[in-house]
């Protein structure tokens, strides 16, 4: 258990170290409403104006901040165009805004960092509800069991490209099923396991909010009980998943997935899950 704790702590340290400093950039566009992701140490203030830079580092638009929190801000597009991933530079009153011109991108509040990089990183918490299914052959009788359980995880998420995101969750997952059958003790067949989990997931976005994805998760049992399996039969396991997701907002994802255990060839187990969380 001590080595497991060291491994988990190392994972979190790695997640914080690899998160690069980012410049302020456009996170979402809905008509003339623009969501801004603040860069490291940025302070976005209401009524401030910023130029929007396209992929060629040309000024293509102007926004005005309408409200701001610690990490994000809402703005109105008052001129030109804005797209997800475009960078920001401070608005200069003496600059000509009649036509796009070449501009060197600078980070708001951190002029020493390059802001042409589009990758962004986030930390988040996620909760999941699972509908479980397991089939086991007890002598000459095949028993199908079902149940519900839940999972909770912290995660580090990184944007690899404009359409591809990677997420690395670490947390715990419970799995429970039961059924009535005379082959089990007192006629009650049940299985209950709580796992420590560590995984990875890739999401491909088809637009700004809809995605498909797959993942892998390694599971280490922390507590376990069963009326038809011995304790040594409930060992470390892993699951693969396929699903689809939807961004309710840039900070609130929802996903549906089908998940299958890989280490249960003689006792096939799977679950369908709905997951939501919050990223910051």
């Amino acid at each position: 258990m001590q080595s497991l704790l060291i491994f988990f702590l190392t994972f979190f340290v790695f997640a914080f170290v690899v998160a690069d400093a980012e410049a302020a950039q456009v996170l979402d566009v809905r008509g003339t409403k623009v969501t801004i992701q603040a860069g490291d140490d940025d302070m976005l203030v209401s009524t401030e104006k910023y130029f929007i830079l396209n992929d060629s580092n040309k000024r293509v638009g102007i926004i005005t901040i309408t409200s701001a929190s610690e990490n994000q801000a809402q703005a109105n597009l008052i001129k030109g165009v804005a797209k997800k991933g475009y960078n920001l530079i401070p608005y200069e009153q003496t600059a000509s805004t009649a036509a796009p011109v070449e501009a060197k991108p600078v980070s708001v509040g951190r002029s020493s960092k390059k802001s042409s990089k589009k990758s962004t990183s986030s930390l988040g918490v996620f909760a999941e509800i699972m509908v479980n299914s397991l089939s086991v052959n007890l002598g000459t009788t095949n028993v199908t069991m079902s149940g519900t359980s839940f999972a909770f995880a912290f995660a580090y998420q990184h944007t690899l490209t404009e359409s591809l995101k990677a997420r690395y969750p670490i947390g715990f997952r419970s799995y429970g099923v039961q059924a009535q059958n005379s082959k089990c003790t007192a006629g009650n067949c049940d299985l209950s396991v709580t796992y420590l989990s560590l995984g990875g997931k890739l999401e491909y976005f088809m637009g700004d909010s809809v995605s498909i994805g797959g993942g892998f998760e390694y599971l280490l049992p922390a507590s376990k009980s069963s009326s038809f399996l011995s304790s040594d039969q409930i060992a470390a396991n892993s699951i693969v998943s396929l699903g689809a997701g939807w961004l309710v907002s840039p900070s609130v994802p929802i996903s549906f997935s089908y998940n299958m255990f890989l280490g249960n060839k003689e006792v096939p187990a799977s679950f369908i899950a709905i997951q939501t969380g919050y990223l910051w």
Side-chain angles (χ1 to χ4, degrees):
M1 182 60 72
Q2 182 179 5
S3 61
L4 180 64
L5 291 175
I6 294 174
F7 174 74
F8 283 172
L9 288 173
T10 302
F11 173 82
F12 273 113
V13 171
F14 171 78
F16 279 101
V17 169
V18 299
D20 295 333
E22 301 292 342
Q25 65 176 215
V26 176
L27 187 62
D28 188 43
V29 180
R30 300 179 185 275
T32 60
K33 303 297 182 181
V34 182
T35 301
I36 303 302
Q37 176 69 53
D40 294 343
D41 294 341
D42 289 342
M43 292 186 63
L44 302 177
V45 182
S46 298
T47 73
E48 285 189 347
K49 290 184 180 180
Y50 295 90
F51 282 115
I52 299 173
L53 303 181
N54 65 9
D55 293 333
S56 301
N57 292 333
K58 291 186 176 181
R59 297 173 183 173
V60 294
I62 302 173
I63 59 168
T64 299
I65 305 296
T66 58
S67 63
S69 62
E70 183 178 354
N71 297 312
Q72 290 186 5
Q74 301 299 318
N76 285 332
L77 179 64
I78 59 176
K79 186 175 183 179
V81 296
K83 289 185 179 180
K84 182 180 178 181
Y86 279 9
N87 296 303
L88 303 180
I89 62 171
Y91 182 84
E92 299 174 0
Q93 296 294 340
T94 59
S96 173
T97 60
V101 295
E102 285 288 343
K104 182 179 180 181
V106 296
S107 171
V108 182
R110 291 180 67 121
S111 58
S112 62
K113 295 289 183 180
K114 294 181 180 179
S115 62
S116 59
K117 186 178 180 181
K118 288 188 176 182
S119 297
T120 58
S121 302
S122 304
L123 292 176
V125 291
F126 292 86
E128 189 172 306
I129 297 177
M130 306 152 54
V131 179
N132 307 321
S133 176
L134 182 145
S135 179
V136 60
N137 191 359
L138 302 176
T140 58
T141 303
N142 187 272
V143 179
T144 299
M145 287 172 275
S146 61
T148 58
S149 57
F150 63 93
F152 182 83
F154 295 95
Y156 166 72
Q157 180 169 291
H158 190 64
T159 301
L160 302 176
T161 68
E162 187 173 349
S163 302
L164 192 63
K165 294 184 179 180
R167 185 185 301 163
Y168 309 101
I170 180 172
F172 68 88
R173 178 180 299 279
S174 64
Y175 188 84
V177 291
Q178 60 181 0
Q180 298 296 318
N181 193 284
S182 59
K183 293 289 184 178
C184 297
T185 305
N188 182 42
C189 301
D190 63 78
L191 169 68
S192 178
V193 190
T194 298
Y195 295 100
L196 299 177
S197 64
L198 175 65
K201 180 180 181 181
L202 284 176
E203 284 185 295
Y204 177 77
F205 280 81
M206 301 173 293
D208 291 335
S209 58
V210 178
S211 67
I212 57 175
F216 176 86
E217 194 170 324
Y218 178 76
L219 304 174
L220 186 65
S223 65
K224 49 191 175 181
S225 64
S226 175
S227 61
F228 60 92
L229 292 176
S230 61
S231 179
D232 59 353
Q233 288 179 294
I234 308 173
N237 213 325
S238 56
I239 56 177
V240 292
S241 63
L242 291 174
W246 175 52
L247 282 178
V248 179
S249 73
S251 299
V252 182
I254 292 179
S255 63
F256 300 86
S257 63
Y258 173 77
N259 305 261
M260 183 174 64
F261 285 83
L262 296 180
N264 297 58
K265 295 181 179 179
E266 297 181 357
V267 187
S270 62
F271 61 89
I272 296 173
I274 177 172
Q275 182 188 82
T276 188
Y278 183 80
L279 293 163
W280 67 88

